[in-house]
Amino acid sequence: MSTTIGRSVRPTSPTSPSAVGTGPPPEPGTSGVPDRAGPLPAGALRAVGRLLTAVATRTVALLALLLVWEMAPRLDLVDRVFLPPFSEVALAWWELLIGGQLWSHTSASLVRSGAGFGLAVLLAVPLGLLIGRYRPLADLLNPLLEVFRNTAALALLPVFVLLLGIGETSKISIVLFACTWPILLNTISAVRTVDPTLLRLARSMDLSPPALFRKVVLPASIPTIFTGIRLAGAVAILVLVAAEMVGARAGLGYLINSSQLNFAIPRMYAGIITISAIGLLVNHLLLTVERRLTAGRPDERG
Amino acid sequence: MTARIELRGVTKRFALRGRRPLRTRDARGRGPRPDHTVTALDTVDLTVADGEFLVVVGPSGCGKSTLLDLVGGLTTPTEGEILLNGAPVTGPGTDRGIVFQQYALLPWRTALGNIEFGLETTGLPRRERAARARDHLDLVGLTGFGDRHPHELSGGMKQRVAIARSLAAGPDVLLMDEPFAALDAQTREGLQEELLRIHRRTGRTIVFITHGIDEAVLLGDRVVVLTHRPGRIKEIVPVELDREGTDAASLRSDPEFTRLTHRIRELLHDEVALARAREREELAA
Ligand SMILES: Nc1ncnc2c1ncn2[C@@H]1O[C@H](COP(=O)(O)OP(=O)(O)OP(=O)(O)O)[C@@H](O)[C@H]1O
Ligand SMILES: [Mg+2]
């Protein structure tokens, strides 16, 4: 929800990885990951208590929001037609789920954004590694990068539609385009900011360039590259939904837009909720992958 | 004793690119004139004997790290030549190991993995690498800490891992650039004794840079005092202390120890004062 959107607004400063992170890091006390319960029952009990507190802390704001959403229309604080109570939205969502429409729209969106996002990763990571490594290439491409990173992808949507039509190609392309920049810029800055003493060490050991790359530059860059990838995950959904509102016959963006046009307001909100949930899930998934790859990394030998 | 390292008339100048040139006076005091290079080292002649523990001290910015980089093959001299075992140094190699002040450990590898990293350019088979890494982990007194990642180690332990990594590759020469500067006093003293022990045991040639006068006398067979920029050799102070069988504490209370530290402090004092004056002059220019 708010976190997904808040994050997607930020990709303008990829040079400082901390600024493009996902907001505040989880505090140790409130982390959703349960602390490993000790063998002692007292320790286990305390761990369970901590977990419950953590869950409660994390859900209380969400529950409050849903409560306000439910009550505000019922108390006539807002127009019920434009903001139906949450329960009605939930019902509409359930009907969409049962009817199968929800899945067909969601899968259409996921395929498009997944394809665009995946292609962007495959394209931008190697390109970024190259640009970050070779100064002349960076000098050559830098003006271009500056122009594109400062051009809102959605502003180019009409161009994509003109060139590629309103079919899948243009939608996947715009996602690919939008996802490329955060990944590319973060990858470049990752390679550039590898600890210089590590590079000196590698040089003093007379490491060959491929070995230097594989054993030092790449592993050192992974955390920052992943920040870019996570950012791109959010961008993929944002851009796709907007693209689907322009010309599409399926997809969550289409569902939201057409529901609004047909005045099926609960359905519209059902679509919005689904997108929020997907945004959260994608971010969580990417975070998990990132943790696997970085924290307490297994020792790479050979 | 044979010469392990020889510096013959080594001068190193760096080009100052895109910066305001320093205004320097030449040897006869004429000037100031704009100068687009900075001379880090000026005609340095130095011979390090095989198995010697040579310590280099000098004011900040006098070219100590540059000297180490030159021997390590990370940079080339502008003039003069550097010989290692009689042959000119052409680049870096596993015959020299460098220990950096900032440890330079790979954070994604364990202690053992980091030591093995030092062996991966040697062409040793994997099994042998693992065994050798373990031996060197023991050598620096970290038995049992092999599976820890650098963030789980204290500063002193990290530097031990770095030393083990450099030693594991079996270099003839160990080059150490202020390796203990970032450590607290207790840890530093522990590591100094450890290093002396390792030096005795392995007989490696060590070039050791420090700002600590006490450390210099404690460790060095000879202490080279450099002048402020451009770095020239001001004096080489031989340290004739009988370290065999004595601990650091009793060494420090030896009158000869006090005399040597006093001598080096005097030598450095003038240079540091000159360096300060120079810096002020440059700022004002
Ligand atoms: N790559 C470089 N380009 C330009 N100037 C350099 C370069 N490396 C070193 N210098 C200059 O050469 C001089 C000597 O530097 P060096 O790092 O060797 O000093 P140092 O004695 O190690 O100083 P410290 O005690 O502070 O570590 C300094 O004036 C420094 O600014
Ligand atoms: Mg230095």
Side-chain angles (χ1 to χ4, degrees), chain A residues 200, chain B residues 60-66 101 177-178 209 211:
Chain A
R200 265 165 68 84
Chain B
S60 185
C62 74
K64 301 183 293 296
S65 299
T66 306
Q101 183 184 329
D177 195 348
E178 301 184 39
I209 289 173
H211 278 287

Side-chain angles (χ1 to χ4, degrees), chain B residues 46 52-55 57 216-225 233-243 256-264 267:
Chain B
L46 184 66
E52 184 175 11
F53 199 134
L54 186 86
V55 177
V57 296
V217 177
L218 188 72
L219 298 176
D221 296 326
R222 287 190 298 160
V223 178
V224 177
V225 182
I233 293 182
K234 186 178 176 84
E235 194 167 318
I236 299 181
V237 180
V239 179
E240 270 138 18
L241 287 171
D242 186 19
R243 294 196 182 85
E256 177 66 2
F257 186 94
T258 319
R259 193 189 68 78
L260 287 166
T261 49
H262 186 70
R263 175 87 193 108
I264 293 168
L267 288 169

Side-chain angles (χ1 to χ4, degrees), chain A residues 131-193:
Chain A
I131 297 175
R133 210 71 202 114
Y134 299 105
R135 253 252 114 79
L137 195 60
D139 292 340
L140 191 73
L141 293 179
N142 211 30
L144 217 61
L145 296 183
E146 280 301 314
V147 169
F148 278 121
R149 74 181 263 197
N150 288 304
T151 306
L154 284 177
L156 291 173
L157 183 57
V159 180
F160 277 82
V161 172
L162 266 181
L163 292 177
L164 303 166
I166 56 166
E168 297 302 292
T169 320
S170 75
K171 289 187 179 56
I172 292 174
S173 302
I174 189 117
V175 172
L176 164 64
F177 178 84
C179 288
T180 297
W181 307 111
I183 302 176
L184 189 64
L185 293 165
N186 269 282
T187 307
I188 293 172
S189 92
V191 175
R192 288 253 174 90
T193 52

Side-chain angles (χ1 to χ4, degrees), chain B residues 11-46:
Chain B
T11 295
K12 178 68 186 177
R13 278 189 287 272
F14 290 105
L16 285 174
R17 262 178 305 162
R19 254 190 293 164
R20 206 160 48 106
L22 294 174
R23 300 178 75 81
T24 50
R25 290 169 202 276
D26 65 16
R28 286 185 216 152
R30 289 178 308 204
R33 280 195 208 145
D35 184 357
H36 290 272
T37 60
V38 56
T39 308
L41 286 175
D42 191 9
T43 42
V44 171
D45 288 293
L46 184 66

